[in-house]
Amino acid sequence: MLDLRWIRESPEALDRALGRRGEPPAAARVGALDAERRACQTRFQECRQRRNALSREIGRAKAAGEPADELIAEVSRLKDGERDAEEAERKAAAELDALLEGMPNPPDEDVPDGTDEAGNVELSRTGARPEFDFAPKDHVELGEALGLMDFERAAFLSGARFVVLRGALARLERALAQFMLDVHTEEFGYEEVSPPTLVRSPALFGTGQLPKFEQDLFRTDTGHWLIPTAEVPLTNMAGGRILAEEELPLRFTAFTPCYRSEAGSAGRDTRGMIRQHQFQKVELVSVAHPDASAGEHERMTRAAEAILERLELPWRRVILCTGDMGAAARKTYDLEVWLPGQGAYREISSCSNCGDYQARRMNARFRPSGSKATRFVHTLNGSGLALGRALIALLENGQQADGSVVLPPAIRPYMGGCERLE
RNA sequence: GGAUGGGUGGCAGAGCGGUUGAAUGCACCGGUCUUGAAAACCGGCGUGGGCACAAGUCCACCGCGGGUUCGAAUCCCGCCCCAUCCGCCA
């Protein structure tokens, strides 16, 4: 949600921001609706003011025992005009709100311009890619050969885009979650949270998934939505609240399942575990002071990178261009892990600074100490990391010629000392 | 699922249909007192918006939406949410 006052002051900045996002200019329309709304409001308020004054006079007349019929008749005559003005105001306001609610967050100045993922810019590469003296397999081959990954059973149970993990692989997923949570809570100061994974509409409106991206979500017949990411409940921890300045930053981490309908992704990543309707993820969320959010963004991204580092996985950091960023984000780093079976880097974490965009939508504020006014907080979220993809990365990078998989030392304590899947 | 009770300012909590935007307390801000702090006392203190250069002034907001009325936080209807009890259940 954008700040109407900001648009009023610098409409050209809005159109520039929208242009960078590949959206048509809207400042003129916003300005017109805003002016319309204000004109109607003024008209309405003048009517109402007259009516209020007359009503007060009626009260006084009645109290004094004087007749008030004449005044009452006059008030009745005023009503139609008032109703029209109010109706017109409401219409303009509704259209204006819908317009503002649908607009994406203006990108940060240092976000590169671009229309799609081809415009993303690689910032760094870390970790050595493994060298194989055989043709590396992908995780599907590896997992199925080990008898630990079963897509057929999953299809039998749930259809396409699901998987059944068994034995050591099921345990590996749990081990990874445990490992990530430990690092984030013990070393980066995140508070572990176990949130609901069914939420109501306002929570999803707050983070920006609703109303625009309803088709990406699953919904229950009780009207609840299955969360597409723990960003939703964690960020909403601050929703509707007025925090004390000293409470900032809030740092939350959670391990939850995530549900996505993948409505628009037919035919993409249909093989394996890359893109599923359901996957597990350890999420990071920070609620920060506006002056501190840029630094918090770097810090959060490093926390996610720390996981990759300890799992000895090769990755690169990419900054998303204006055309590839989510609507709520003002700046996003993607971490992409190397997958030998795909011969490509694939997203395993996405860390975004949303500025005050979500905070406005969910009314998340803080009170600067000594001030009576409130300000919107900044919200940030990042994967720390997606578990399915981390698991894939371990399989494909740790694979041996015989089809077994060597696990990195960092995860072994969580696997009861197990060093190798075979 | 059934039955009650309830949703008012940052929080707690009043509010006969007519200057109630709303008592009171806490918190907060300023001041007096004090070597300093606390206490006590005095004063201030909701949000959003329109108009105005401004002082200011006006409008809206007591969960949400309708209705009754000249006038609604207060009466009526619908919806949402919360709490408690019962039933069911991991």
Side-chain angles (χ1 to χ4, degrees):
Chain A
M1 178 86 95
L2 303 190
D3 183 2
L4 183 57
R5 233 171 308 180
W6 172 74
I7 298 176
R8 237 181 251 161
E9 280 164 18
S10 43
E12 68 293 337
L14 172 69
D15 281 344
R16 186 157 35 86
L18 289 174
R20 294 184 67 201
R21 286 277 199 172
E23 304 232 354
R29 182 76 188 129
V30 171
L33 279 170
D34 184 34
E36 163 79 3
R37 200 201 85 239
R38 283 200 268 182
C40 294
Q41 185 174 12
T42 303
R43 200 147 50 87
F44 164 69
Q45 291 187 354
E46 280 165 0
C47 294
R48 181 53 74 86
Q49 184 177 349
R50 241 176 307 155
R51 179 154 76 92
N52 284 346
L54 284 172
S55 288
R56 242 173 283 144
E57 242 175 277
I58 293 168
R60 240 169 294 164
K62 288 207 164 178
E66 296 164 10
D69 298 352
E70 195 52 45
L71 292 168
I72 291 175
E74 196 179 340
V75 171
S76 306
R77 266 177 268 132
L78 286 173
K79 274 196 169 170
D80 282 345
E82 183 181 321
R83 199 180 298 253
D84 291 348
E86 189 179 17
E87 187 51 43
E89 185 205 341
R90 195 175 303 192
K91 226 179 109 193
E95 196 180 331
L96 183 58
D97 284 347
L99 196 57
L100 291 177
E101 283 166 9
M103 284 182 189
N105 206 353
D108 222 49
E109 284 310 319
D110 55 354
V111 170
D113 287 314
T115 53
D116 54 31
E117 62 184 25
N120 298 344
V121 175
E122 179 179 300
L123 298 179
S124 63
R125 283 188 190 209
T126 313
R129 294 196 228 161
E131 307 266 347
F132 299 104
D133 51 11
F134 57 92
K137 303 186 177 93
D138 76 357
H139 66 278
V140 179
E141 272 186 90
L142 290 164
E144 287 184 332
L146 289 165
L148 303 177
M149 197 181 282
D150 192 341
F151 290 97
E152 267 182 49
R153 266 301 101 182
F156 176 81
L157 294 167
S158 307
R161 293 197 190 281
F162 290 92
V163 68
V164 173
L165 299 179
R166 305 180 60 164
L169 219 41
R171 178 169 189 177
L172 181 56
E173 185 178 53
R174 172 164 59 91
L176 282 167
Q178 192 106 330
F179 165 68
M180 291 176 194
L181 287 170
D182 283 352
V183 171
H184 295 315
T185 55
E186 290 165 15
E187 298 180 34
F188 292 98
Y190 285 87
E191 179 188 347
E192 184 171 349
V193 174
S194 176
T197 56
L198 291 173
V199 297
R200 293 208 201 104
S201 300
L204 285 154
F205 176 85
T207 40
Q209 280 84 7
L210 288 180
K212 234 181 168 178
F213 304 100
E214 177 179 346
Q215 72 281 355
D216 298 334
L217 303 166
F218 287 108
R219 185 174 201 180
T220 71
D221 60 9
T222 56
H224 289 95
W225 304 84
L226 289 96
I227 58 169
T229 158
E231 167 197 345
V232 176
L234 292 185
T235 307
N236 275 282
M237 291 289 284
R241 297 185 56 197
I242 298 177
L243 299 159
E245 186 170 17
E246 306 81 66
E247 291 179 77
L248 300 176
L250 300 178
R251 297 189 177 113
F252 297 122
T253 183
F255 163 52
T256 68
C258 303
Y259 300 92
R260 302 188 181 177
S261 74
E262 296 297 345
S265 59
R268 272 169 50 196
D269 300 319
T270 49
R271 178 177 166 82
M273 282 180 64
I274 296 278
R275 192 177 298 276
Q276 307 263 279
H277 285 309
Q278 175 188 341
F279 61 97
Q280 311 266 32
K281 182 156 59 70
V282 171
E283 180 74 359
L284 302 172
V285 161
S286 294
V287 177
H289 191 287
D291 299 341
S293 73
E296 185 70 18
H297 188 210
E298 302 298 326
R299 185 184 188 279
M300 171 181 279
T301 307
R302 281 200 302 275
E305 285 179 327
I307 302 294
L308 289 162
E309 198 174 291
R310 306 216 190 157
L311 293 178
E312 298 172 27
L313 292 168
W315 83 93
R316 61 175 193 168
R317 189 200 283 209
V318 168
I319 182 167
L320 297 193
C321 71
T322 51
D324 201 28
M325 242 185 350
R330 92 170 14 171
K331 179 175 176 179
T332 299
Y333 295 126
D334 268 11
L335 304 181
E336 299 181 346
V337 70
W338 175 251
L339 294 181
Q342 314 246 324
Y345 284 96
R346 294 301 305 256
E347 176 189 337
I348 193 167
S349 173
S350 191
C351 300
S352 299
N353 183 355
C354 296
D356 63 4
Y357 186 88
Q358 295 177 322
R360 285 179 186 283
R361 294 173 79 95
M362 66 176 70
N363 202 20
R365 297 171 289 172
F366 74 99
R367 197 185 303 281
S369 40
S371 158
K372 63 174 194 170
T374 57
R375 294 180 65 188
F376 290 108
V377 297
H378 280 195
T379 61
L380 304 94
N381 64 81
S383 348
L385 311 163
L387 288 173
R389 291 189 182 179
L391 192 126
I392 289 174
L394 289 182
L395 288 181
E396 296 194 6
N397 283 282
Q399 64 180 295
Q400 308 296 308
D402 63 359
S404 67
V405 173
V406 174
L407 297 174
I411 200 66
R412 291 176 193 167
Y414 294 89
M415 290 292 288
C418 170
E419 297 177 10
R420 179 191 288 255
L421 306 178
E422 52 197 340

